[in-house]
Amino acid sequence: MKRNPSKNNIILFAILSLFVGGLMLMVSGCPGEIDPCAVNNTKFCAIVKELAPSSVQPALEDCQTLLTICDGKEIELYWQADASLTSNVHITGPGGEVYDFPISEGHATVTPHVSGKWEAVFSGKCRFTKSINVRVIKGPEPYTIVANGNIDVGFVCNINPKAVDKDLIIIAIRSAQCAGVSEYWENWSCKKTNWDGSYPTFFNITKNDGSANNTHLSGYWRFDPSGLGGTFTYSGKSACFQATICCEPCDLSPTDIYPSPTPTPWPTRSPR
């Protein structure tokens, strides 16, 4: 009996197709392992020393990556990584500080004297890098306050005391145009309180430098545009203020108190 070569080829092709298909099915059903180093879940942050917790976990609940402190003040650094992936942390500061810790979780007290970036390099099975920025104030320096909101609810800025030195005060403040925003309003009324709402201070802000009653930088700030009327309005969603900050005691602090810290009525507005 003579065999049909074309029929044999068809059978061979069918067998090969089934083999390749099964192999592809096996491969697709068994995906490769995910590289554990592809996910960076490390944490590195800091809190001003006076408010710093004594352990890592509570600190990480409200830890900061941008701090403003007076020269010579301490901050507490916190870090955390997966112990199965890293076992060492190498921390460097902008002033040449170098610290090595043979642990994947911990905290340490440092005293920054130079503004700049603090970097933590986690190493072991994997290598990760995280950084924070610390600004060190050594004299009167500019500081921009950016508040968000609208004219119906006011413009608010919360400056966390865990990120700002308690001795920083504002010796002058004026209205300013926010970067990239065309709208600008000159005159504002301001209410400043501590983080918990205590010790309210009231003052007015214009386009010229004026006293902020030497109020502390950290806390809750609310700004409302004043002098609105007729066809004039302010539809912006943010407002900026250029302040001059200094560490107490500050020799350049103005001795006058203007305007009077007596509370003034807030304008009544109906929501749009």
Side-chain angles (χ1 to χ4, degrees), residues 189-232:
S189 58
C190 176
K191 177 184 179 181
K192 162 63 173 45
T193 68
N194 287 343
W195 189 256
D196 59 1
S198 61
Y199 296 101
T201 301
F202 300 81
F203 48 89
N204 297 324
I205 299 174
T206 70
K207 64 178 181 179
N208 301 314
D209 280 335
S211 171
N213 297 333
N214 294 340
T215 188
H216 289 89
L217 177 60
S218 65
Y220 177 88
W221 293 81
R222 172 175 168 167
F223 305 89
D224 284 273
S226 59
L228 295 176
T231 59
F232 297 101

Side-chain angles (χ1 to χ4, degrees), residues 4-5 12 21 27 35 40 67 90 97-98 109 116 124 126 138 140 167 169 173 179 183 192 224 242 250 260 265:
N4 189 341
L12 180 60
V27 171
D35 181 5
N40 185 351
L67 292 86
H90 177 76
E97 302 90 344
V98 177
T109 302
C126 302
K138 298 186 178 184
D167 291 332
I169 60 172
I173 190 170
E183 196 165 14
K192 162 63 173 45
D224 284 273
Q242 188 65 54
C250 183
S260 170

Side-chain angles (χ1 to χ4, degrees), residues 129-201:
T129 302
K130 285 290 179 68
S131 64
I132 64 173
N133 281 283
V134 179
R135 181 180 177 185
V136 179
I137 305 299
K138 298 186 178 184
E141 294 188 23
Y143 185 96
T144 301
I145 298 176
V146 180
N148 298 309
N150 57 58
I151 62 172
D152 295 319
V153 300
F155 294 79
V156 172
C157 179
N158 292 318
I159 301 180
N160 197 323
K162 292 184 178 181
V164 174
D165 198 305
K166 65 180 179 62
D167 291 332
L168 280 169
I169 60 172
I170 294 183
I171 60 177
I173 190 170
R174 60 179 171 83
S175 56
Q177 188 168 353
C178 295
V181 178
S182 59
E183 196 165 14
Y184 168 65
W185 195 260
E186 293 181 352
N187 302 316
W188 299 78
S189 58
C190 176
K191 177 184 179 181
K192 162 63 173 45
T193 68
N194 287 343
W195 189 256
D196 59 1
S198 61
Y199 296 101
T201 301

Side-chain angles (χ1 to χ4, degrees), residues 42-49 51-68 75-80 106-108 122 130-134 160-164 195:
T42 57
K43 297 178 181 179
F44 177 57
C45 52
I47 295 176
V48 293
K49 182 64 177 179
L51 299 177
S54 58
S55 57
V56 176
Q57 290 301 325
L60 295 180
E61 295 177 3
D62 189 21
C63 211
Q64 309 297 308
T65 56
L66 181 62
L67 292 86
T68 305
I75 64 173
E76 194 76 6
L77 302 176
Y78 297 90
W79 63 90
Q80 185 182 71
H107 60 99
F122 300 85
K130 285 290 179 68
S131 64
I132 64 173
N133 281 283
V134 179
N160 197 323
K162 292 184 178 181
V164 174
W195 189 256

